[in-house]
Amino acid sequence: MDYDRPLFYHVMAYAAEADRDVIEMVSGSPDWEPPAALRSGLAEYAEAEPDAFQYPPSEGLRGLREEIAARRNVDVERVIITNGAGEANYLAMAGAMDLFEERADGSPSEDPEFLLTDPVYPYYPGKADLLDATKRYVAAEPDGSLDPDAVREQAAASGDDLVAIVVNTPNNPTGAVYDRETVAALAEIAAEHDALLIADEVYDKYDYTGRFESALALDRSNVVVTNAFSKSMAITGFRVGYAILPESMVGGARTRHMLVNVATSRPAQQAVLDALRETGPEYYQRNRQLMADRMATFTDALDAAGADYTEPDGGFYVMARFEDFPGTLENVKRLVDEAGVAGMPGEAFGDARLEWVRFALVTPRVEEAADRLAAFFA
């Protein structure tokens, strides 16, 4: 398989090589402080005994798994600590393929399909390709929400080939938050096809509506939830995530995780555990308010520029559409060169938002970026 460099890195590299100052609004890497307890935990770890620097249990530190299980009200044995949400999603999708093969009884006529949203976070279809599965898409509504009837129609087209419905809520790139009724409907549709619902909830701390509710609340045996501390603790480089799996999938996921990774970083896991135990809700509330304020600042400026834009209910991102300026890679490069702002082309996320550009608001220069865009499109 040829290496396909993600478009994110291509745009960031182009912006970094520009001859002018560029405000980077491509990646979702938080620019604020991690919890204080995480920093102090790392400092203390540096003085630990040598055995603390050896292999942790492959499935993750017991204390961290117990803390997650208690917070999510699940059995600890269902929790596997992963290298970020990315690996958690891969384990979930690979496990869904295992279940599909079991029920297909190895029939070569079966063509496994993952049902994804459009627009979509590009790593999901990338993982489907890695697993040699077909992708089928359901277009999101203009506001980013999902119509369960549209999902059911596409699931029916997949029929017995449906492996899993994969969703991200709060959503990247649309900012949509799927309410409990929608998520319950998706789980039921998946169950009708003996398939899974895989819910990536990595932006769960950034819900601005109060409507977000984890898919775990459904208490269904065909639901997998993935998450990570990358966004909630502003530590994308630590790569500490987790998957909460049905009991039937745990063994296979542990085996894959062990053979590919052996284990996840022990110091990073311990620091996250320290932060979970010692960080109060005000830390998350403060960062959520910071993002909400940035959203308001940025969208006010987009109003001034005469742009259409999504009104995010969660997450880090705003998608904007400018008149006669489709969201192509060529136009994104033009924004870098002429406006000094780097975003992601809508074409990176599928076919449903080809006219749009996505901007990540994880920069203190949001107001300046909005002013540059307003001036460029004036």
Side-chain angles (χ1 to χ4, degrees), residues 64 68 71 81 84-85 202 227-236 240-242 272 276 284:
L64 180 56
I68 292 168
R71 290 165 178 260
I81 306 301
V202 72
N227 210 319
F229 302 97
S230 299
K231 314 294 184 178
S232 61
M233 293 188 180
I235 52 170
T236 58
V240 180
Y242 61 91
V272 166
L276 278 176
Y284 306 103

Side-chain angles (χ1 to χ4, degrees), residues 237-250:
F238 272 49
R239 312 312 302 141
V240 180
Y242 61 91
I244 299 178
L245 303 151
E247 292 180 8
S248 61
M249 296 177 63
V250 170

Side-chain angles (χ1 to χ4, degrees), residues 173-186:
T174 68
V177 174
Y178 308 148
D179 58 24
R180 180 188 174 97
E181 290 73 19
T182 297
V183 176
L186 299 182

Side-chain angles (χ1 to χ4, degrees), residues 17 258 323 329:
E17 295 166 2
M258 176 181 63
E323 187 174 359
L329 178 59

Side-chain angles (χ1 to χ4, degrees), residues 7-8 11-12 15 22-27 328-329 332-333 335-336 341-346 349 357-360:
L7 192 55
F8 298 88
V11 176
M12 286 189 289
V22 178
I23 301 173
E24 199 266 276
M25 304 183 75
V26 177
S27 65
T328 62
L329 178 59
V332 162
K333 289 181 176 180
L335 284 181
V336 170
V341 179
M344 276 296 293
F349 303 99
V357 179
R358 192 207 70 175
F359 298 96

Side-chain angles (χ1 to χ4, degrees), residues 45 50-61 258 261-267 269:
Y45 203 94
D51 63 353
F53 294 88
Q54 311 312 315
Y55 295 117
S58 180
E59 66 272 19
L61 293 181
M258 176 181 63
N261 299 284
V262 179
T264 305
S265 167
R266 187 170 196 148
Q269 289 185 69

Side-chain angles (χ1 to χ4, degrees), residues 281-355:
E282 64 279 358
Y283 172 80
Y284 306 103
Q285 292 167 357
R286 182 171 63 250
N287 295 332
R288 185 164 53 248
Q289 187 59 53
L290 171 67
M291 287 304 304
D293 291 344
R294 288 180 178 180
M295 296 280 182
T297 297
F298 194 69
T299 55
D300 283 350
L302 291 177
D303 280 328
D308 295 326
Y309 57 86
T310 58
E311 192 75 57
D313 289 333
F316 291 173
Y317 311 100
V318 168
M319 298 197 80
R321 179 174 59 186
F322 304 94
E323 187 174 359
D324 299 324
F325 197 85
T328 62
L329 178 59
E330 180 182 0
N331 276 342
V332 162
K333 289 181 176 180
R334 185 180 168 194
L335 284 181
V336 170
D337 295 334
E338 300 180 30
V341 179
M344 276 296 293
E347 65 183 6
F349 303 99
D351 295 332
R353 298 292 189 276
L354 294 177
E355 299 297 312

